Amino acid sequence: MQSIHHPLFAAVYERLSRAGGEWEKALRREIVGMAQGRVLEVGAGTGLNFAYYDPQRVERVDAVEPDPAMLRYAQRRQQEAPVPVLLHQARVEKLPFADETFDSAVATLVFCSVEEPALGFAEIRRVLKPGGLLLLVEHVRAASPVTARLQDLLTPLMRRCAGNCHWNRPTLTTLAKAGLRVASRRDEGGGLMPLIVVQAIRE
């Protein structure tokens, strides 16, 4: 696998996140607020989720992020988190944890940029305890064939400009093939960036 280091994108992402809308913050608050026990956060990025963990529900968070430029921003938010957060420079495709370690896993707007998403979901399943919950927010391939074709055309540009972001991935299908059962799914947004909000169980 190629090394991941996107300092320019990290800086732009950090600046945009500070001006982020209430809708995105509410979505993060909702999905992160459902985590409990020992939590794995995948693709922590700049640490935007850290503020939303509930100290009444969460023991600690192990947050993985492969990009050192992103981790530098995450370290600042780590200090202000309401729960203990441990940062690890690691890819989701090769998680540095034992089998059946975590009660919950959180991934928000991450799997669009993962190099091998099928392997990433398989690793999440491996480290979740039986009955453990994956909480996922992701933008996915559009249902409309015309819009999906436009996503296909734009994806090569987005990969170069936005940290390997793929607009056109059938993420829900990939997740299910990894052996995670979808317990609930909600569709948000639309157009070129339809979102799914998913709870999936490791059986």
Side-chain angles (χ1 to χ4, degrees):
M1 294 183 186
Q2 295 180 344
S3 62
I4 297 176
H5 189 218
H6 303 290
L8 179 58
F9 174 67
V12 171
Y13 186 84
E14 171 65 10
R15 177 166 292 188
L16 290 175
S17 70
R18 291 181 180 179
E22 290 303 315
W23 175 79
E24 180 184 339
K25 292 176 183 177
L27 200 56
R28 289 182 184 275
R29 186 179 296 111
E30 173 194 349
I31 203 76
V32 174
M34 290 187 280
Q36 63 181 355
R38 187 170 174 191
V39 180
L40 168 70
E41 181 169 335
V42 173
T46 61
L48 292 175
N49 289 335
F50 296 168
Y52 303 124
Y53 285 105
D54 184 348
Q56 302 300 316
R57 295 169 55 89
V58 172
E59 173 189 343
R60 88 177 206 198
V61 177
D62 286 270
V64 298
E65 168 57 49
D67 190 333
M70 290 285 194
L71 279 173
R72 283 195 289 274
Y73 292 106
Q75 286 168 352
R76 302 172 189 174
R77 293 189 170 99
Q78 176 190 26
Q79 307 305 317
E80 302 171 357
V83 301
V85 176
L86 281 69
L87 293 175
H88 309 264
Q89 186 176 347
R91 296 172 182 263
V92 66
E93 297 98 325
K94 192 174 182 181
L95 293 171
F97 307 109
D99 296 358
E100 300 182 4
T101 295
F102 296 98
D103 302 288
S104 310
V106 172
T108 56
L109 305 176
V110 170
F111 271 87
C112 60
S113 60
V114 170
E115 191 171 332
E116 297 183 60
L119 182 55
F121 282 124
E123 275 287 272
I124 289 175
R125 185 186 185 281
R126 178 184 68 79
V127 301
L128 277 175
K129 297 175 182 177
L133 193 64
L134 168 62
L135 303 160
L136 176 77
V137 177
E138 190 56 74
H139 62 91
V140 294
R141 188 171 185 82
S144 161
V146 174
T147 307
R149 177 57 181 156
L150 185 54
Q151 287 178 318
D152 291 339
L153 293 172
L154 289 171
T155 290
L157 174 63
M158 295 306 299
R159 288 183 62 191
R160 290 193 294 271
C161 297
N164 198 42
C165 178
H166 294 70
W167 283 15
N168 59 346
R169 283 183 166 169
T171 297
L172 201 60
T173 300
T174 308
L175 179 154
K177 287 181 178 179
L180 294 160
R181 179 175 63 83
V182 175
S184 71
R185 171 211 175 149
R186 185 174 85 244
D187 296 304
E188 293 274 356
L192 283 172
M193 291 189 67
L195 291 170
I196 54 171
V197 182
V198 172
Q199 298 180 51
I201 298 173
R202 192 275 204 206
E203 296 182 316

